[in-house]
Each structure stands twice: as structure tokens, then as C-alpha cells.
């Protein structure tokens, strides 16, 4: 499905069983494998050899990228937004009595091949450095190479050895950092945590759920509805805060992105939602 420069990324299931997330015209198309099964699978990079020259160059690229972002108006605006009393209050509510909120990054893409994933990863790492209550960072994308995985470890992240298909149970407060993932991955996450206690431990940074709802209301395309049933079902229990991209430099990486906090009170409120 084609998308304009400011249209939410939409998964298109028509391309030979694959999913294409359409980024803005100024960005690139990110090709993602379709989630065919909810079964979690062991995973390892297809190339097992770590290239020391590529590793060194990629670390340098990431350091330059983080330095660029940290001095940008976009970064300062984002940090200011997080520290407003309303949003910070939601983070503390999710933390509850815990001192740390773990971060899980799904679908980051190839940090070696494209700038957009490097920008997104840079923000995740800078968030951890900025806020003492953000804990360990775990990362997964099935396209990561052995060299990229080693760079992620060098930057203080751990790479998952299992493809969780987005189904991590939030047994403790968890920030799921998922910019520009496909709708089905968000839906898997919500389905796996479909309960009051679990949802109240989740913070999600990703595509705007409000925009998904508007798109479905306007176009009523069955493919999008089928892949976003839990997204649409949780909308009335969601507090969403859209971020400002400030400049064209960061539009491709963060447009239509929001912070999402979930607050159902009773299990019956979730049980009577029809899918």
C-alpha cells in the first residue's frame, strides 16, 4: 500500500508473503519477514564470522550518530517531553515499586546498512544514559549480522538468541522500543500481555495507535484490521503522547511515533472486547 510522506507505516501482505513497511519518501523501504507463526524460535546470525574492520567502522558510525543526535533540537525536545509531569508520572506508575525498567528493542533493522536504524538505536542508548531508572537493553531483529550483534554488545546491549515474535510477557516493568515496526508485531505484543497486570507494566514507543485507528476508520481495509485487532481494542485504555520530529533530519526515523501507556482497571473490561 502506498503511503504519503506523513502517512503511518502500513504492512502490506501482498508481496510474495513478505511485509513492506513504507517509510517517508525521504527514507527507505524496510523489508521485514512476515510473522507466519506465534511459535518462538532459536536464532543466530546467518553469518557467523565477525569482521573486525566492519565492526570498527560501525562503532565509529554509531558514535558519530549519537553525538549528532545529542546536540540536536530533536533530542532536547524529546527529553523535555519525557520529563513533563504527566509523562514522567506515567513512567513512574509503570515502575511502581521497581527501581529499573528494562528496555526491549524489536525490529531495529540493519544498523550497518542504513542511517534510520542507527538514529533509532542512538535514541534508545541515549535514553538509558539519561535516565537512571532505565535498565538493561535487549535487542532483536532477524536480519542482524554477527558483526552488528557484536557492535550492539560493545555498545552495552545484549542480543536475544530467540525470536520472540514480539511476545515478551511484561513480568516486570518494560519499555518496548519499536519504532516503525509492522502492525502485526505490535498486535503480538498486546496479545501476549492481554491482562490488567501485564499491560500496566508496559510502555511502548512505536507507531501511533491513533493513526492506525484513523486509517482503519477511513479505509476499512481488511488486511490492516486483521493485523491490528488488539491495537484497536486497547485504544480506549491507552494514553498516547505523540513526539515532535522538529526537523527533516529525523523525520524518516521518527515520524508518526508516540509513547503509549496502558491503563485498564478491570479484567472484564478486556474480556468483553470483540476481535
Amino acid at each position: 500500500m502506498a503511503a504519503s510522506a506523513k502517512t503511518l507505516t502500513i504492512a502490506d501482505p501482498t508481496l510474495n508473503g513478505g511485509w513492506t513497511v513504507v517509510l517517508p519518501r525521504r527514507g527507505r523501504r524496510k523489508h521485514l519477514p512476515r510473522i507466519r507463526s506465534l511459535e518462538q524460535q532459536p536464532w543466530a546470525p546467518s553469518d557467523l564470522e565477525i569482521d573486525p574492520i566492519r565492526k570498527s567502522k560501525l562503532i565509529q558510525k554509531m558514535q558519530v550518530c549519537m553525538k549528532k543526535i545529542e546536540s540536536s533540537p530533536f533530542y532536547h525536545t524529546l527529553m523535555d517531553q519525557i520529563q513533563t509531569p504527566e509523562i514522567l508520572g506515567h513512567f513512574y506508575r509503570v515502575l511502581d515499586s521497581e527501581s529499573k525498567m528494562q528496555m526491549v528493542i524489536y525490529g531495529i533493522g540493519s544498523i550497518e546498512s542504513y542511517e534510520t536504524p542507527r538514529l533509532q538505536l542512538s535514541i534508545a542508548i541515549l535514553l538509558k544514559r539519561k535516565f537512571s531508572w532505565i535498565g538493561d537493553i535487549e535487542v532483536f531483529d532477524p536480519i542482524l549480522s554477527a558483526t552488528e550483534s557484536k557492535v550492539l554488545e560493545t555498545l552495552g546491549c545484549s542480543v536475544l538468541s530467540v525470536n520472540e515474535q514480539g511476545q515478551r510477557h511484561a513480568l516486570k516493568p518494560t519499555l518496548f522500543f519499536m519504532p516503525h515496526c509492522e502492525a502485526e508485531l505490535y498486535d503480538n505484543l498486546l496479545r501476549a500481555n492481554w491482562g490488567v497486570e501485564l499491560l500496566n507494566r508496559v510502555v511502548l514507543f512505536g507507531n501511533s495507535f491513533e493513526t492506525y485507528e484513523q486509517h482503519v476508520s477511513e479505509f476499512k481495509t481488511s488486511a490492516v484490521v486483521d493485523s491490528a485487532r488488539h491495537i484497536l481494542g486497547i485504544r480506549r485504555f491507552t494514553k498516547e503522547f505523540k513526539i515532535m520530529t522538529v526537523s527533516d533530519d529525523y523525520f524518516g526515523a521518527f515520524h508518526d511515533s508516540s509513547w503509549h501507556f496502558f491503563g485498564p482497571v478491570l479484567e472484564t473490561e478486556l474480556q468483553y472486547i470483540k476481535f
Side-chain angles (χ1 to χ4, degrees), residues 4-271:
S4 65
K6 292 197 176 183
T7 299
L8 179 66
T9 55
I10 298 296
D12 183 347
T14 63
L15 305 178
N16 300 320
W19 288 82
T20 298
V21 175
V22 183
L23 296 179
R25 291 175 185 150
R26 279 162 280 185
R28 294 177 177 268
R29 287 191 174 190
K30 186 160 114 180
H31 294 277
L32 299 163
R34 183 173 183 176
I35 300 169
R36 297 183 181 280
S37 164
L38 294 183
E39 183 180 350
Q40 300 185 22
Q41 299 286 345
W43 174 87
S46 56
D47 63 326
L48 300 178
E49 192 171 328
I50 297 168
D51 185 324
I53 296 175
R54 285 169 52 204
K55 176 189 169 186
S56 177
K57 287 182 177 178
L58 183 52
I59 290 173
Q60 188 175 31
K61 281 183 178 180
M62 282 301 306
Q63 289 171 340
V64 169
C65 193
M66 284 189 281
K67 187 174 181 180
K68 173 188 172 183
I69 285 188
E70 200 169 14
S71 62
S72 70
F74 166 72
Y75 173 79
H76 293 291
T77 300
L78 183 63
M79 294 304 108
D80 288 345
Q81 182 192 33
I82 292 172
Q83 294 176 93
T84 58
E86 185 175 14
I87 294 183
L88 202 55
H90 282 290
F91 275 110
Y92 287 151
R93 176 185 62 79
V94 174
L95 274 167
D96 195 23
S97 60
E98 299 286 337
S99 61
K100 297 285 185 180
M101 179 180 296
Q102 65 179 347
M103 186 189 298
V104 177
I105 303 176
Y106 288 137
I108 193 66
S110 172
I111 58 172
E112 185 175 21
S113 300
Y114 303 116
E115 185 182 35
T116 289
R118 289 196 293 273
L119 291 169
Q120 293 167 345
L121 178 63
S122 293
I123 282 293
I125 293 171
L126 289 171
L127 282 170
K128 176 176 170 58
R129 292 181 182 177
K130 174 74 173 177
F131 300 107
S132 60
W133 42 266
I134 292 182
D136 295 337
I137 300 178
E138 296 176 292
V139 183
F140 183 79
D141 193 302
I143 70 169
L144 289 172
S145 67
T147 299
E148 288 173 317
S149 297
K150 192 64 178 177
V151 169
L152 284 163
E153 291 172 3
T154 302
L155 293 170
C157 306
S158 59
V159 179
L160 295 174
S161 59
V162 173
N163 184 349
E164 298 177 336
Q165 305 279 24
Q167 298 176 94
R168 170 76 65 95
H169 293 291
L171 301 178
K172 53 186 176 181
T174 308
L175 166 55
F176 291 93
F177 189 83
M178 302 169 62
H180 294 169
C181 286
E182 69 269 35
E184 198 166 3
L185 199 59
Y186 297 126
D187 215 62
N188 281 359
L189 177 67
L190 293 172
R191 182 189 308 157
N193 290 283
W194 201 254
V196 169
E197 192 172 354
L198 291 173
L199 284 171
N200 275 282
R201 294 195 195 110
V202 171
V203 178
L204 172 64
F205 181 85
N207 291 345
S208 166
F209 283 12
E210 180 183 353
T211 307
Y212 275 120
E213 187 177 53
Q214 290 170 352
H215 183 90
V216 169
S217 176
E218 184 175 353
F219 298 105
K220 295 182 172 61
T221 53
S222 59
V224 177
V225 172
D226 288 344
S227 63
R229 293 187 183 279
H230 290 79
I231 294 173
L232 301 176
I234 201 62
R235 274 287 295 135
R236 62 191 172 108
F237 304 109
T238 303
K239 286 291 292 184
E240 177 175 332
F241 301 91
K242 294 186 178 183
I243 69 162
M244 296 176 61
T245 48
V246 179
S247 72
D248 287 352
D249 290 345
Y250 305 103
F251 182 81
F254 298 104
H255 74 99
D256 282 316
S257 296
S258 295
W259 295 103
H260 301 82
F261 302 88
F262 308 105
V265 177
L266 301 173
E267 292 291 345
T268 52
E269 293 177 318
L270 299 174
Q271 293 169 359

